[in-house]
Amino acid sequence: QVQLVESGGGLVQHGGSLRLSCAASGNIFSIAVMGWYRQAPGKQRELVAAITISGTTNYADSVKGRFTISRDNAKNTVYLQMNSLKPEDTAVYYCNAGRGFSNYYTGGSWGQGTQVTVSS
């Protein structure tokens, strides 16, 4: 079992920046991929970015060039640097750790979620 603790959410104006952090504990050796997903009201939870243990990154088209995912394996922590934020980025952001990822992935372990609100 993997436990995930998220932090860094908040309220920011259009064009601002936030950095989300997710610290993993427990059976960390089972983790092959860590990722960030988000869910806006009335919509499905969707992939934002993912990073594999080898460092390969994947991004949703909507965030490419604005968001950066990184992983510190020594600290068992994944980060999401979010720049040039837009109101459409407003959502609850969830950290995930598991053996894979997809646009609507439901497997692995999940964090509690952190609210990101971008005002216009």
Side-chain angles (χ1 to χ4, degrees), residues 71-115:
R71 182 177 182 179
D72 186 337
N73 288 328
K75 296 181 178 180
N76 303 124
T77 300
V78 65
Y79 305 92
L80 185 68
Q81 179 67 45
M82 304 185 294
N83 298 326
S84 302
L85 282 162
K86 304 174 181 179
E88 49 262 47
D89 296 318
T90 295
V92 178
Y93 284 68
Y94 296 89
C95 181
N96 175 268
R99 297 192 296 269
F101 68 95
S102 65
N103 286 349
Y104 304 106
Y105 188 61
T106 59
S109 300
W110 295 87
Q112 78 284 358
T114 184
Q115 177 71 47

Short mmCIF file of all heavy atoms in Angstrom, two decimals, residues 71-115:
data_model
loop_
_atom_site.label_atom_id
_atom_site.label_comp_id
_atom_site.label_asym_id
_atom_site.label_seq_id
_atom_site.Cartn_x
_atom_site.Cartn_y
_atom_site.Cartn_z
N ARG A 71 10.15 14.52 -10.55
CA ARG A 71 10.13 13.51 -9.50
C ARG A 71 11.48 13.46 -8.81
O ARG A 71 12.52 13.41 -9.47
CB ARG A 71 9.77 12.15 -10.10
CG ARG A 71 9.65 11.00 -9.11
CD ARG A 71 9.23 9.74 -9.84
NE ARG A 71 9.06 8.61 -8.94
CZ ARG A 71 8.68 7.40 -9.31
NH1 ARG A 71 8.43 7.16 -10.61
NH2 ARG A 71 8.56 6.42 -8.43
N ASP A 72 11.46 13.46 -7.49
CA ASP A 72 12.66 13.30 -6.69
C ASP A 72 12.57 11.91 -6.06
O ASP A 72 11.90 11.73 -5.04
CB ASP A 72 12.76 14.39 -5.63
CG ASP A 72 14.07 14.35 -4.87
OD1 ASP A 72 14.71 13.29 -4.82
OD2 ASP A 72 14.46 15.39 -4.32
N ASN A 73 13.22 10.94 -6.67
CA ASN A 73 13.12 9.57 -6.19
C ASN A 73 13.70 9.40 -4.78
O ASN A 73 13.21 8.58 -4.00
CB ASN A 73 13.82 8.62 -7.16
CG ASN A 73 13.06 8.44 -8.45
OD1 ASN A 73 11.83 8.50 -8.48
ND2 ASN A 73 13.78 8.20 -9.54
N ALA A 74 14.72 10.17 -4.46
CA ALA A 74 15.33 10.08 -3.14
C ALA A 74 14.35 10.51 -2.06
O ALA A 74 14.39 9.99 -0.93
CB ALA A 74 16.60 10.91 -3.07
N LYS A 75 13.48 11.45 -2.38
CA LYS A 75 12.49 11.95 -1.43
C LYS A 75 11.11 11.34 -1.63
O LYS A 75 10.18 11.67 -0.90
CB LYS A 75 12.39 13.47 -1.51
CG LYS A 75 13.66 14.20 -1.13
CD LYS A 75 13.47 15.71 -1.20
CE LYS A 75 14.73 16.44 -0.78
NZ LYS A 75 14.56 17.92 -0.85
N ASN A 76 10.98 10.47 -2.64
CA ASN A 76 9.70 9.85 -2.96
C ASN A 76 8.61 10.91 -3.15
O ASN A 76 7.49 10.76 -2.65
CB ASN A 76 9.29 8.85 -1.87
CG ASN A 76 10.34 7.78 -1.65
OD1 ASN A 76 10.82 7.59 -0.53
ND2 ASN A 76 10.71 7.08 -2.71
N THR A 77 8.96 11.95 -3.87
CA THR A 77 8.07 13.09 -4.03
C THR A 77 7.97 13.47 -5.50
O THR A 77 8.97 13.47 -6.22
CB THR A 77 8.56 14.29 -3.22
OG1 THR A 77 8.62 13.94 -1.83
CG2 THR A 77 7.64 15.49 -3.39
N VAL A 78 6.76 13.79 -5.93
CA VAL A 78 6.53 14.27 -7.28
C VAL A 78 5.98 15.69 -7.19
O VAL A 78 5.25 16.03 -6.25
CB VAL A 78 5.56 13.35 -8.06
CG1 VAL A 78 4.17 13.36 -7.44
CG2 VAL A 78 5.51 13.74 -9.53
N TYR A 79 6.35 16.52 -8.16
CA TYR A 79 5.96 17.91 -8.18
C TYR A 79 5.25 18.24 -9.48
O TYR A 79 5.50 17.62 -10.51
CB TYR A 79 7.17 18.84 -8.04
CG TYR A 79 8.03 18.56 -6.84
CD1 TYR A 79 9.12 17.69 -6.94
CD2 TYR A 79 7.77 19.14 -5.61
CE1 TYR A 79 9.92 17.43 -5.83
CE2 TYR A 79 8.56 18.89 -4.51
CZ TYR A 79 9.64 18.03 -4.62
OH TYR A 79 10.42 17.78 -3.53
N LEU A 80 4.40 19.23 -9.43
CA LEU A 80 3.79 19.77 -10.63
C LEU A 80 3.92 21.29 -10.57
O LEU A 80 3.24 21.94 -9.78
CB LEU A 80 2.32 19.37 -10.75
CG LEU A 80 1.63 19.80 -12.05
CD1 LEU A 80 2.22 19.03 -13.24
CD2 LEU A 80 0.13 19.60 -11.97
N GLN A 81 4.81 21.82 -11.39
CA GLN A 81 4.96 23.26 -11.51
C GLN A 81 3.98 23.76 -12.55
O GLN A 81 4.02 23.34 -13.71
CB GLN A 81 6.39 23.62 -11.91
CG GLN A 81 6.64 25.11 -12.09
CD GLN A 81 6.53 25.87 -10.79
OE1 GLN A 81 7.07 25.44 -9.77
NE2 GLN A 81 5.82 27.00 -10.81
N MET A 82 3.09 24.66 -12.15
CA MET A 82 2.04 25.16 -13.01
C MET A 82 2.26 26.65 -13.24
O MET A 82 2.18 27.44 -12.29
CB MET A 82 0.67 24.90 -12.41
CG MET A 82 0.41 23.44 -12.08
SD MET A 82 -1.29 23.13 -11.51
CE MET A 82 -1.25 24.04 -9.96
N ASN A 83 2.54 27.02 -14.47
CA ASN A 83 2.75 28.41 -14.85
C ASN A 83 1.67 28.85 -15.83
O ASN A 83 1.00 28.03 -16.44
CB ASN A 83 4.13 28.59 -15.48
CG ASN A 83 5.26 28.26 -14.55
OD1 ASN A 83 5.19 28.47 -13.34
ND2 ASN A 83 6.36 27.73 -15.11
N SER A 84 1.55 30.16 -15.99
CA SER A 84 0.58 30.73 -16.92
C SER A 84 -0.80 30.13 -16.71
O SER A 84 -1.48 29.72 -17.66
CB SER A 84 1.05 30.52 -18.36
OG SER A 84 2.31 31.12 -18.57
N LEU A 85 -1.23 30.08 -15.48
CA LEU A 85 -2.50 29.43 -15.15
C LEU A 85 -3.68 30.17 -15.76
O LEU A 85 -3.69 31.40 -15.86
CB LEU A 85 -2.65 29.33 -13.64
CG LEU A 85 -1.83 28.21 -13.00
CD1 LEU A 85 -1.68 28.44 -11.50
CD2 LEU A 85 -2.48 26.86 -13.27
N LYS A 86 -4.67 29.38 -16.14
CA LYS A 86 -5.89 29.88 -16.77
C LYS A 86 -7.09 29.47 -15.93
O LYS A 86 -7.04 28.48 -15.20
CB LYS A 86 -6.04 29.30 -18.18
CG LYS A 86 -4.86 29.55 -19.10
CD LYS A 86 -5.05 28.82 -20.42
CE LYS A 86 -3.88 29.05 -21.35
NZ LYS A 86 -4.06 28.32 -22.64
N PRO A 87 -8.20 30.19 -16.04
CA PRO A 87 -9.40 29.79 -15.30
C PRO A 87 -9.82 28.36 -15.58
O PRO A 87 -10.35 27.69 -14.68
CB PRO A 87 -10.45 30.80 -15.79
CG PRO A 87 -9.66 32.02 -16.11
CD PRO A 87 -8.37 31.50 -16.70
N GLU A 88 -9.62 27.87 -16.79
CA GLU A 88 -9.99 26.51 -17.12
C GLU A 88 -9.12 25.46 -16.43
O GLU A 88 -9.41 24.26 -16.50
CB GLU A 88 -9.98 26.27 -18.63
CG GLU A 88 -8.72 26.75 -19.32
CD GLU A 88 -8.88 28.12 -19.95
OE1 GLU A 88 -9.40 29.03 -19.27
OE2 GLU A 88 -8.49 28.29 -21.12
N ASP A 89 -8.05 25.88 -15.77
CA ASP A 89 -7.25 24.97 -14.96
C ASP A 89 -7.87 24.73 -13.58
O ASP A 89 -7.37 23.88 -12.84
CB ASP A 89 -5.83 25.51 -14.78
CG ASP A 89 -5.06 25.59 -16.08
OD1 ASP A 89 -5.15 24.65 -16.90
OD2 ASP A 89 -4.36 26.60 -16.29
N THR A 90 -8.89 25.46 -13.25
CA THR A 90 -9.54 25.31 -11.95
C THR A 90 -10.11 23.90 -11.80
O THR A 90 -10.90 23.44 -12.64
CB THR A 90 -10.66 26.34 -11.78
OG1 THR A 90 -10.10 27.66 -11.76
CG2 THR A 90 -11.42 26.11 -10.48
N ALA A 91 -9.70 23.21 -10.75
CA ALA A 91 -10.12 21.83 -10.52
C ALA A 91 -9.52 21.35 -9.21
O ALA A 91 -8.69 22.02 -8.60
CB ALA A 91 -9.65 20.92 -11.66
N VAL A 92 -9.96 20.17 -8.79
CA VAL A 92 -9.29 19.46 -7.72
C VAL A 92 -8.21 18.60 -8.36
O VAL A 92 -8.49 17.82 -9.28
CB VAL A 92 -10.25 18.59 -6.90
CG1 VAL A 92 -9.49 17.81 -5.83
CG2 VAL A 92 -11.33 19.45 -6.26
N TYR A 93 -7.00 18.75 -7.90
CA TYR A 93 -5.87 18.02 -8.45
C TYR A 93 -5.51 16.86 -7.53
O TYR A 93 -5.35 17.03 -6.32
CB TYR A 93 -4.66 18.94 -8.62
CG TYR A 93 -4.79 19.86 -9.81
CD1 TYR A 93 -5.73 20.88 -9.82
CD2 TYR A 93 -3.98 19.69 -10.94
CE1 TYR A 93 -5.88 21.71 -10.91
CE2 TYR A 93 -4.11 20.52 -12.03
CZ TYR A 93 -5.06 21.52 -12.02
OH TYR A 93 -5.19 22.35 -13.11
N TYR A 94 -5.37 15.66 -8.12
CA TYR A 94 -5.09 14.45 -7.38
C TYR A 94 -3.75 13.86 -7.80
O TYR A 94 -3.45 13.79 -9.00
CB TYR A 94 -6.16 13.39 -7.62
CG TYR A 94 -7.54 13.76 -7.13
CD1 TYR A 94 -8.43 14.44 -7.96
CD2 TYR A 94 -7.96 13.43 -5.85
CE1 TYR A 94 -9.70 14.78 -7.53
CE2 TYR A 94 -9.22 13.76 -5.41
CZ TYR A 94 -10.08 14.43 -6.25
OH TYR A 94 -11.35 14.76 -5.81
N CYS A 95 -3.00 13.42 -6.84
CA CYS A 95 -1.76 12.70 -7.09
C CYS A 95 -2.06 11.20 -7.19
O CYS A 95 -2.90 10.69 -6.45
CB CYS A 95 -0.76 12.97 -5.97
SG CYS A 95 0.84 12.16 -6.17
N ASN A 96 -1.37 10.51 -8.08
CA ASN A 96 -1.55 9.08 -8.26
C ASN A 96 -0.19 8.39 -8.32
O ASN A 96 0.76 8.92 -8.89
CB ASN A 96 -2.33 8.78 -9.53
CG ASN A 96 -2.43 7.30 -9.83
OD1 ASN A 96 -1.60 6.74 -10.54
ND2 ASN A 96 -3.44 6.66 -9.27
N ALA A 97 -0.13 7.20 -7.75
CA ALA A 97 1.06 6.36 -7.83
C ALA A 97 0.64 4.94 -8.12
O ALA A 97 -0.24 4.40 -7.46
CB ALA A 97 1.85 6.42 -6.53
N GLY A 98 1.25 4.33 -9.13
CA GLY A 98 0.89 2.97 -9.48
C GLY A 98 1.78 2.39 -10.54
O GLY A 98 2.94 2.78 -10.67
N ARG A 99 1.23 1.46 -11.31
CA ARG A 99 1.99 0.76 -12.33
C ARG A 99 1.72 1.28 -13.73
O ARG A 99 2.32 0.76 -14.70
CB ARG A 99 1.69 -0.74 -12.28
CG ARG A 99 2.10 -1.40 -10.97
CD ARG A 99 2.06 -2.91 -11.07
NE ARG A 99 0.71 -3.40 -11.30
CZ ARG A 99 -0.14 -3.74 -10.35
NH1 ARG A 99 0.23 -3.63 -9.07
NH2 ARG A 99 -1.34 -4.18 -10.65
N GLY A 100 0.84 2.24 -13.89
CA GLY A 100 0.53 2.75 -15.21
C GLY A 100 -0.19 4.07 -15.15
O GLY A 100 -0.34 4.68 -14.09
N PHE A 101 -0.64 4.51 -16.31
CA PHE A 101 -1.41 5.73 -16.41
C PHE A 101 -2.21 5.73 -17.70
O PHE A 101 -1.88 5.01 -18.65
CB PHE A 101 -0.51 6.97 -16.35
CG PHE A 101 0.38 7.13 -17.57
CD1 PHE A 101 -0.01 7.93 -18.63
CD2 PHE A 101 1.60 6.49 -17.65
CE1 PHE A 101 0.81 8.09 -19.74
CE2 PHE A 101 2.42 6.63 -18.75
CZ PHE A 101 2.02 7.43 -19.81
N SER A 102 -3.25 6.51 -17.74
CA SER A 102 -4.06 6.73 -18.93
C SER A 102 -4.88 7.99 -18.70
O SER A 102 -4.86 8.56 -17.61
CB SER A 102 -4.96 5.53 -19.23
OG SER A 102 -5.92 5.36 -18.21
N ASN A 103 -5.60 8.43 -19.74
CA ASN A 103 -6.36 9.67 -19.62
C ASN A 103 -7.35 9.64 -18.47
O ASN A 103 -7.58 10.66 -17.81
CB ASN A 103 -7.08 9.97 -20.93
CG ASN A 103 -6.14 10.45 -22.02
OD1 ASN A 103 -4.98 10.76 -21.76
ND2 ASN A 103 -6.64 10.52 -23.24
N TYR A 104 -7.96 8.47 -18.24
CA TYR A 104 -8.98 8.33 -17.21
C TYR A 104 -8.63 7.19 -16.26
O TYR A 104 -9.49 6.42 -15.86
CB TYR A 104 -10.36 8.14 -17.85
CG TYR A 104 -10.71 9.24 -18.81
CD1 TYR A 104 -10.68 9.04 -20.18
CD2 TYR A 104 -11.05 10.51 -18.33
CE1 TYR A 104 -10.98 10.06 -21.06
CE2 TYR A 104 -11.35 11.53 -19.21
CZ TYR A 104 -11.32 11.30 -20.57
OH TYR A 104 -11.62 12.32 -21.45
N TYR A 105 -7.40 7.11 -15.87
CA TYR A 105 -6.88 6.05 -15.02
C TYR A 105 -7.56 6.05 -13.65
O TYR A 105 -7.77 7.11 -13.06
CB TYR A 105 -5.38 6.25 -14.86
CG TYR A 105 -4.64 5.14 -14.17
CD1 TYR A 105 -4.61 3.86 -14.68
CD2 TYR A 105 -3.93 5.39 -12.99
CE1 TYR A 105 -3.90 2.85 -14.07
CE2 TYR A 105 -3.22 4.39 -12.37
CZ TYR A 105 -3.20 3.11 -12.90
OH TYR A 105 -2.48 2.11 -12.28
N THR A 106 -7.91 4.87 -13.18
CA THR A 106 -8.55 4.74 -11.87
C THR A 106 -7.81 3.80 -10.94
O THR A 106 -8.26 3.58 -9.82
CB THR A 106 -10.00 4.25 -12.03
OG1 THR A 106 -10.01 2.98 -12.70
CG2 THR A 106 -10.83 5.25 -12.81
N GLY A 107 -6.69 3.25 -11.38
CA GLY A 107 -5.95 2.30 -10.58
C GLY A 107 -4.94 2.95 -9.65
O GLY A 107 -4.86 4.18 -9.52
N GLY A 108 -4.17 2.13 -8.99
CA GLY A 108 -3.12 2.60 -8.11
C GLY A 108 -3.64 3.25 -6.84
O GLY A 108 -4.78 3.03 -6.42
N SER A 109 -2.81 4.07 -6.25
CA SER A 109 -3.14 4.79 -5.02
C SER A 109 -3.34 6.26 -5.32
O SER A 109 -2.71 6.81 -6.23
CB SER A 109 -2.03 4.62 -3.98
OG SER A 109 -1.83 3.26 -3.66
N TRP A 110 -4.21 6.90 -4.55
CA TRP A 110 -4.58 8.29 -4.78
C TRP A 110 -4.42 9.14 -3.54
O TRP A 110 -4.63 8.67 -2.41
CB TRP A 110 -6.04 8.38 -5.25
CG TRP A 110 -6.27 7.73 -6.58
CD1 TRP A 110 -6.55 6.42 -6.81
CD2 TRP A 110 -6.21 8.36 -7.85
NE1 TRP A 110 -6.69 6.19 -8.16
CE2 TRP A 110 -6.48 7.37 -8.82
CE3 TRP A 110 -5.96 9.67 -8.27
CZ2 TRP A 110 -6.51 7.64 -10.18
CZ3 TRP A 110 -5.98 9.95 -9.63
CH2 TRP A 110 -6.26 8.94 -10.57
N GLY A 111 -4.04 10.39 -3.75
CA GLY A 111 -4.02 11.36 -2.68
C GLY A 111 -5.41 11.89 -2.40
O GLY A 111 -6.40 11.53 -3.06
N GLN A 112 -5.51 12.76 -1.41
CA GLN A 112 -6.80 13.28 -0.99
C GLN A 112 -7.33 14.38 -1.92
O GLN A 112 -8.51 14.71 -1.87
CB GLN A 112 -6.71 13.83 0.43
CG GLN A 112 -6.06 15.20 0.57
CD GLN A 112 -4.55 15.19 0.44
OE1 GLN A 112 -3.92 14.14 0.27
NE2 GLN A 112 -3.95 16.38 0.52
N GLY A 113 -6.48 14.93 -2.74
CA GLY A 113 -6.85 16.01 -3.64
C GLY A 113 -6.57 17.37 -3.03
O GLY A 113 -6.69 17.57 -1.82
N THR A 114 -6.19 18.31 -3.88
CA THR A 114 -5.96 19.68 -3.45
C THR A 114 -6.60 20.62 -4.46
O THR A 114 -6.48 20.44 -5.66
CB THR A 114 -4.45 19.96 -3.29
OG1 THR A 114 -4.25 21.28 -2.78
CG2 THR A 114 -3.70 19.80 -4.61
N GLN A 115 -7.31 21.61 -3.94
CA GLN A 115 -8.07 22.53 -4.79
C GLN A 115 -7.16 23.58 -5.40
O GLN A 115 -6.38 24.24 -4.69
CB GLN A 115 -9.17 23.20 -3.99
CG GLN A 115 -9.98 24.24 -4.77
CD GLN A 115 -10.87 23.62 -5.81
OE1 GLN A 115 -11.59 22.65 -5.52
NE2 GLN A 115 -10.84 24.16 -7.03
#
